[in-house]
Each structure stands twice: as C-alpha cells, then as structure tokens.
Amino acid sequence: MRKKLEKCNIVFTGFMGVGKTTVSAYIANLLNREVIETDQYIVEKANMDIPSIFDKFGENYFRDLESEAVAEISKKRGVIISCGGGAVIRKKNVLELKESGIIIRLTATPNTVLQRVKNSKERPILNGHMNTEFISSLMEKRDSFYSNAADITISTDGKTVDEIAKECIEKSITFIESK
C-alpha cells in the first residue's frame, strides 16, 4: 500500500493558521517529497504578494489565479500540496485535487488559529478583523466546503507536528487501503 501512497498527492486544506504549511513541510521531509504551496505558487507566477493582489485586483481575481494554480499543480504526482485557506471554495478545485490525491483537512479552534496568525500581515481577509469572533464566523461559513472536500480530517490542537504528521500518514494509508 505504501507504493500507492508514493504515487498519490497528499493535499492539505483547512482554514488559515491550522498548520498546513508546517505539517506539509514536515511530511515532505519525512517522505522525501516536494512540497508545493498554492499561495507561494501564485505569488511567484503573479510576481506580487497576496495582499497586493487583493488590493489591486480583488478577491475574485485572486480566486481565479488560485484555480489556475490548482489545475497546474494537480497535474503533478507524488507531491505534497498545501492549499490556501479558500482553495476548496470552488468545486472545480476540489475535483482536480481529489483526482490527483488524498485531501486531508486540518482543523484547529478559532482561539488556536488566532494565536498562530495574530502577528501575520499576509492574511488580507483578517486585516482589521484579528479576533476570535470574526475567525469563528468565517470558519463557520467555510466549514461545509472543508468537510465536503476532505477524505480525512485531523485536529491540530494540542498536538506536536510529529504527532500530526504520523496521524496523517497512517490515516492516508488506511484511506488508500479502503479504496
């Protein structure tokens, strides 16, 4: 079954600040795989940071760039993909990601998310709304998108990155075996 996992992309989704970047990098190192962050991919292609894209062109334009990035990245095999927090809002993104791999949804409480992102200037949706009430509200709005996209859901609250990574790998193998 590990052979099947080797050919499969491992895709991380979830709200901003749940640990996608950290866990992706850790698992990529463990499994000796390339990690691709959709947000970083967009920044490099657009030659502009995400807050600037939002400011200059708006969220819809950013979501279009995100869909293009997902389509391109999903053509690869055996990579770790860390999706931006809103990538699963568009159904076509989810279908392309599922076609190429396993989608793991990472979760955390609004308070945990706030603690992780409170000093970030790279979260344009949270600018001026850096509080648990707003985060909780946005999480609720996106929850069905994340849960419908996910093959596996793992909470990151109170766990080390090693514990989360091992759980991701074990559940991925179990998921593949069940197919």
Side-chain angles (χ1 to χ4, degrees), residues 81-105:
I81 303 170
S82 177
C83 293
V88 297
I89 291 171
R90 290 189 175 173
K91 190 173 181 93
K92 73 179 194 170
N93 294 348
V94 174
L95 294 173
E96 288 176 356
L97 293 166
K98 276 190 180 286
E99 183 77 21
S100 72
I102 298 169
I103 299 179
I104 300 175
R105 173 192 184 194

Side-chain angles (χ1 to χ4, degrees), residues 109-170:
T109 65
N111 191 51
T112 297
V113 168
L114 178 62
Q115 294 310 309
R116 291 177 181 168
V117 304
K118 67 183 176 188
N119 296 320
S120 173
K121 302 290 183 231
E122 296 295 314
R123 316 278 180 176
I125 289 177
L126 292 183
N127 287 348
H129 306 287
M130 202 63 80
N131 59 70
T132 54
E133 294 78 18
F134 183 82
I135 291 169
S136 180
S137 171
L138 190 53
M139 286 174 107
E140 281 181 37
K141 287 178 190 169
R142 291 185 176 178
D143 186 65
S144 65
F145 293 106
Y146 295 133
S147 60
N148 290 334
D151 296 310
I152 299 164
T153 298
I154 296 171
S155 170
T156 63
D157 288 303
K159 296 177 186 171
T160 67
V161 67
D162 187 62
E163 291 169 331
I164 298 163
K166 286 177 180 169
E167 189 175 347
C168 289
I169 293 167
E170 287 170 13

Side-chain angles (χ1 to χ4, degrees), residues 27-108:
I27 289 179
N29 188 48
L30 278 179
L31 300 179
N32 195 27
R33 291 195 189 190
E34 176 186 10
V35 65
I36 303 170
E37 295 225 15
T38 59
D39 285 352
Q40 188 59 38
Y41 190 88
I42 293 164
V43 165
E44 289 170 12
K45 281 202 86 155
N47 201 23
M48 185 181 294
D49 67 15
I50 291 171
S52 296
I53 295 170
F54 267 73
D55 288 345
K56 190 168 183 177
F57 302 108
E59 184 175 357
N60 283 336
Y61 180 81
F62 173 78
R63 295 294 169 211
D64 290 342
L65 293 177
E66 187 172 56
S67 291
E68 289 173 23
V70 165
E72 291 169 16
I73 295 166
S74 292
K75 291 176 184 162
K76 295 180 176 270
R77 292 294 177 263
V79 297
I80 309 293
I81 303 170
S82 177
C83 293
V88 297
I89 291 171
R90 290 189 175 173
K91 190 173 181 93
K92 73 179 194 170
N93 294 348
V94 174
L95 294 173
E96 288 176 356
L97 293 166
K98 276 190 180 286
E99 183 77 21
S100 72
I102 298 169
I103 299 179
I104 300 175
R105 173 192 184 194
L106 298 180
T107 65

